[in-house]
Amino acid sequence: MKTIKVVYWSGTGNTQAMAQAIAEGVEKGEAKADLLDVDTIKADDLKDDSIFAMGCPAMGDEVLEEGSMEPFMEELESNLSGKQVALFGSYGWGDGQWMRDWEERVTEKGGKLVEGKGLMCCEEPDDQVLEDCRKLGEKLAKL
Ligand SMILES: Cc1cc2nc3c(=O)[nH]c(=O)nc-3n(C[C@H](O)[C@H](O)[C@H](O)COP(=O)(O)O)c2cc1C
């Protein structure tokens, strides 16, 4: 059975709730979901994964969380070519600039964005966002 890793960082649980819903969708799509706090893995652990999901909220001033996710992303960048990557995350007062920058980093390194863009939501994901996350997970399972 295919395993899809869903790697995330979350400070107050909003991006974590998205990650959990994506993992539920993966399982609904009959693949195995591996829900992983970014602190528990290294970028190298994704070297053999051709499809995965990665989530982080907007932090700092429209950047990735700098203690764990940014270093993870820096290590991962050299190994993104040809991979299908689903980005997701929650934001607060901004307009999604952190996600646009993240999307650009992934595509510049040859990664392919699943759905063509990241899945974002403002603060806590509502039922509609959670449903969109489940659908995204199901899609990952079937790619
Ligand atoms: C230190 C800090 C910096 C933040 N910077 C931004 C930002 O630049 N833009 C924005 O839209 N939201 C920003 N936010 C809001 C968070 O992205 C938002 O609350 C999000 O829902 C947190 O997700 P989480 O629960 O997964 O940690 C920031 C929050 C914190 C705590």
Side-chain angles (χ1 to χ4, degrees), residues 14-29:
N14 298 332
T15 305
Q16 183 179 29
M18 296 175 82
Q20 278 163 346
I22 291 169
E24 281 168 28
V26 168
E27 305 259 338
K28 193 168 168 220

Side-chain angles (χ1 to χ4, degrees), residues 9-15 57-62 90-94 123:
W9 183 93
S10 182
T12 54
N14 298 332
T15 305
M59 294 296 285
D61 184 10
E62 298 296 329
S90 174
Y91 65 98
W93 50 85
E123 299 293 354

Side-chain angles (χ1 to χ4, degrees), residues 60-119:
D61 184 10
E62 298 296 329
V63 293
L64 297 176
E65 185 276 327
E66 291 170 281
S68 299
M69 188 51 93
E70 176 57 32
F72 180 83
M73 184 62 198
E74 283 169 19
E75 272 184 50
L76 189 67
E77 271 174 332
S78 61
N79 197 7
L80 278 175
S81 185
K83 295 189 187 254
Q84 308 214 57
V85 185
L87 296 180
F88 63 95
S90 174
Y91 65 98
W93 50 85
D95 69 350
Q97 188 60 46
W98 106 105
M99 182 59 82
R100 290 192 290 279
D101 292 343
W102 200 11
E103 291 167 352
E104 202 176 305
R105 275 173 87 174
V106 169
T107 52
E108 267 177 4
K109 296 291 174 183
K112 294 178 207 144
L113 292 170
V114 177
E115 311 274 45
K117 58 184 170 59
L119 178 54

